[in-house]
Amino acid sequence: NSAVDFVSTVDATLIGLQGLTVNAGTGTVTFGGAVGGGVTGALASLKVTGATTIGGNVTTTGGQTYNSAVTLGNTVTTKSTLGGTIDFAGTVDGTTAGNQGLTVDTLSLGTVTFGGAVGGSVALASLSANGATTIDGNVTTAGAQTFTSAVTLGNTVTLANTTGNIHFASTVDATTAGAQGLTASAGGTVLFDSAVGGLRALASLTS
């Protein structure tokens, strides 16, 4: 239950062969530099428990699991190069409202889960997710929101920004037909490129 602070970079010895689990309990975890960013440095996996600050890009071949609240110290990309699951089980916030953005990239092969509100306390600059995405909490950004792959609503949620578009490039469905609704409020345009509720009807849609 103490703080764990990686002041600089964290890398594997051989790409995809070494993973990292950090359990700080009620303490905090800080990644001050890139994780898996070296030439041969991509981690096999990353699992973190404890309120986490991410200050650099995170690259793994497999999955990433953040069990606690995440704060973005900079605009960062979390990537799984072999399509692992990237799971934010808690909230995700910026450090300063509208200044830090997040890109989550599974190369459209893996899944992305936002288990809590994104930008609920401190709005993100932007959000981009590439991989089948489950959204369980409201999403608030200053700028654009882009969901490249299919989106499933785990709860009735509101996605909002002040400038830019909210873009659903693939389908949007409820988890249970008629149970989860969506409100999308954009400073720019809300774009639906594919069916909404085609597999499992939404409870409601407001845009």
Side-chain angles (χ1 to χ4, degrees), residues 69-207:
V70 167
T71 300
L72 305 178
N74 292 295
T75 293
V76 299
T77 296
T78 60
K79 175 185 274 188
S80 172
T81 60
L82 295 180
T85 295
I86 300 181
D87 184 2
F88 295 91
T91 57
V92 181
D93 286 289
T95 299
T96 306
N99 279 3
Q100 293 82 27
L102 175 63
T103 296
V104 184
D105 187 7
T106 70
L107 305 181
S108 296
L109 300 172
T111 60
V112 179
T113 301
F114 296 106
V118 177
S121 296
V122 183
L124 274 57
S126 60
L127 176 66
S128 177
N130 183 10
T133 301
T134 299
I135 303 174
D136 289 336
N138 297 337
V139 179
T140 307
T141 59
Q145 299 178 25
T146 304
F147 302 93
T148 303
S149 306
V151 168
T152 301
L153 305 178
N155 291 297
T156 293
V157 298
T158 296
L159 278 57
N161 68 16
T162 51
T163 61
N165 298 336
I166 298 177
H167 185 191
F168 299 92
S170 187
T171 56
V172 181
D173 286 287
T175 298
T176 304
Q180 292 84 26
L182 172 64
T183 297
S185 175
T189 303
V190 179
L191 304 168
F192 296 101
D193 288 355
S194 194
V196 177
L199 292 178
R200 292 174 298 278
L202 274 59
S204 60
L205 175 63
T206 304
S207 173

